[in-house]
C-alpha cells in the first residue's frame, strides 16, 4: 500500500511547477503597468483617460485614410525592428539604426537623380538596392569600430547617427538643393511617375508593406531555420565559446550588423519613393528608435514584431487626433509606448526572480 500511495502522490516538484505556471504573464503585467503609469499622467493633467485610450487604440482604424497612414508608418517600423532582431540575436545593441535609415534614404536618391529615364520598375529596384547597400555599409562602419577599435556599438552608432543627419542636411542645402533656392525643408520633389503607386484617395502604397513583410519573413526564417541563425544566436550567448567551437564570431557579428543595416536602409529608401518623395532632414521620422522599443518589448522574437509594430503605429497615428479632439498633446502616445516597454522589462525581471526563489 505504501508503494501504491507513493505512486499516486504527486511528485515533490509539482507545487513548484504550478507556482511558476501561475505567475502572472509578463505581457499582462506590462500592459497593466503601462496603463497605470499613463493613466496617472493623464489624471494629473486633468484629462479623461478613457477618451484618450479610445482614440489611441481605435483612432487609426476610424477611416480608410488613417488606416492607410498607419500601415505606411508600420512599414519602415517592421523593417527596422526585423533588422534589429538580427543584431539583438548576436548580442549587439545597434543604436545606429537611425543613421542607417538616413544613409539608405541618401543612397536611394542617387539613382533616382542620375537615371530618372530608366523604366520605373527597374529604377525602383535599383533605388532600393542602393538603399540596402548604403544602410549595410553604414552598419558595417559601426561594426568595424566595435571589432577593430573596441568601441562599443552603442556609442559608435550614436555618433554615426549624428554624422548621417549632418550629411543629409549638407546634401539638402548643398549639392542637392532646390534650383534657385536652398531650403532646409528638403530637396525638390521627385517626378510623380517614379513614386510608388498608391490606392485611390489614400497615401497607402501596397508594395511597401509587402516588402516589409517579406523582410520580416526572411529574418524569421534565417534565425529559426538555418545554421547561420543558430550560429548568430550562439555568438549572442557567448562569442568566445562560439569561437572555440568553430563559429566565426567576428564574421557573424559583422553579417548581423550588415543585415540590420540593409533592412533599415530599405526602410529609408521606401521613405523616399513611397512617403516623402524627397530627401528631408528628418527622413527617418524616428522609426529606428521606435523599432528599438519594439524589439525590447518582444525580446527580439520575430514572430511578435508584426503585431507590436502595428500597435505602436496605431498609437502614433491615433495620437495625431488628440490635440483636435481633446486638446491633449500627441506626445502621450510616446508615454504609453515607453511605459509599455519599461513595464515589460520590469515584469520579466520580477517574474524571473520569483521563479528562481520558488
Amino acid at each position: 500500500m505504501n508503494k501504491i500511495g507513493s505512486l499516486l502522490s504527486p511528485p515533490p516538484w509539482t507545487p513548484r511547477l504550478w507556482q511558476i505556471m501561475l505567475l502572472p504573464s509578463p505581457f499582462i503585467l506590462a500592459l497593466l503597468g503601462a496603463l497605470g503609469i499613463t493613466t496617472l499622467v493623464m489624471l494629473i493633467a486633468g484629462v479623461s483617460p478613457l477618451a484618450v485610450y479610445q482614440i489611441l487604440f481605435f483612432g487609426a482604424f476610424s477611416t480608410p485614410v488613417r488606416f492607410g497612414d498607419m500601415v505606411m508608418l508600420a512599414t519602415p517600423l517592421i523593417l527596422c525592428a526585423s533588422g534589429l532582431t538580427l543584431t539583438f540575436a548576436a548580442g549587439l545593441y545597434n543604436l545606429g539604426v537611425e543613421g542607417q535609415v538616413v544613409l539608405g534614404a541618401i543612397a536611394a536618391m542617387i539613382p533616382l537623380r542620375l537615371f530618372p529615364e530608366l523604366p520605373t520598375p527597374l529604377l525602383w529596384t535599383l533605388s532600393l538596392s542602393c538603399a540596402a547597400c548604403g544602410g549595410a555599409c553604414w552598419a558595417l562602419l559601426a561594426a568595424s569600430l566595435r571589432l577593430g577599435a573596441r568601441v562599443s556599438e552603442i556609442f559608435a552608432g550614436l555618433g554615426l547617427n549624428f554624422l548621417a543627419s549632418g550629411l543629409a542636411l549638407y546634401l539638402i542645402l548643398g549639392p542637392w538643393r532646390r534650383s534657385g533656392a536652398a531650403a532646409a525643408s528638403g530637396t525638390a520633389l521627385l517626378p510623380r511617375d517614379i513614386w510608388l503607386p498608391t490606392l485611390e484617395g489614400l497615401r497607402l502604397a501596397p508594395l511597401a508593406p509587402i516588402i516589409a513583410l517579406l523582410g520580416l519573413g526572411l529574418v524569421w526564417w534565417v534565425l529559426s531555420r538555418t545554421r547561420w541563425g543558430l550560429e548568430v544566436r550562439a555568438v549572442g550567448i557567448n562569442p568566445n565559446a562560439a569561437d572555440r567551437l568553430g563559429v566565426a564570431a567576428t564574421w557573424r557579428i559583422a553579417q548581423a550588423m550588415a543585415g540590420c543595416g540593409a533592412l533599415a536602409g530599405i526602410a529609408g529608401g521606401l521613405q523616399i519613393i513611397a512617403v516623402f518623395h524627397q530627401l528631408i532632414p528628418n527622413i527617418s521620422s524616428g522609426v529606428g528608435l521606435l523599432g528599438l522599443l519594439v524589439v525590447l518589448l518582444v525580446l527580439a522574437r520575430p514572430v511578435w514584431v508584426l503585431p507590436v509594430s502595428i500597435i505602436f503605429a496605431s498609437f502614433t497615428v491615433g495620437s495625431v487626433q488628440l490635440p483636435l479632439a481633446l486638446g491633449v498633446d500627441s506626445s502621450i502616445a510616446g508615454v504609453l509606448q515607453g511605459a509599455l516597454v519599461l513595464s515589460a522589462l520590469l515584469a520579466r525581471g520580477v517574474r524571473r526572480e520569483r521563479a528562481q526563489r520558488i
Side-chain angles (χ1 to χ4, degrees), residues 14 35 48 63 108 145 149 153 160 165 177 181 260 272 305 351:
T14 301
L35 292 176
S48 170
T63 66
L145 291 172
E153 73 277 4
L160 290 172
S165 299
R177 66 182 180 273
C260 178
I272 293 291
V305 166
R351 182 182 173 88

Side-chain angles (χ1 to χ4, degrees), residues 38-49:
T38 312
T39 299
L40 180 61
V41 171
M42 287 186 286
L43 289 176
I44 293 175
V47 180
S48 170

Side-chain angles (χ1 to χ4, degrees), residues 7 42 44 53 62-63 68 70-71 76 86 107 109 117 119 138 177 208 212-213 268 271 281 287 309 311 326 333:
L7 289 173
M42 287 186 286
I44 293 175
Y53 289 140
S62 58
T63 66
M70 183 274 293
V71 173
L86 293 175
M109 284 287 292
E117 71 282 353
W138 206 248
R177 66 182 180 273
L213 291 176
Q271 293 287 82
V287 294
S309 296
I311 291 172
L326 302 175

Side-chain angles (χ1 to χ4, degrees), residues 51-52 55-56 318-333:
V52 172
I55 293 177
L56 285 179
S319 67
V320 176
Q321 307 166 48
L322 291 176
L324 296 176
L326 302 175
V328 180
D329 194 272
S330 61
S331 60
I332 193 65

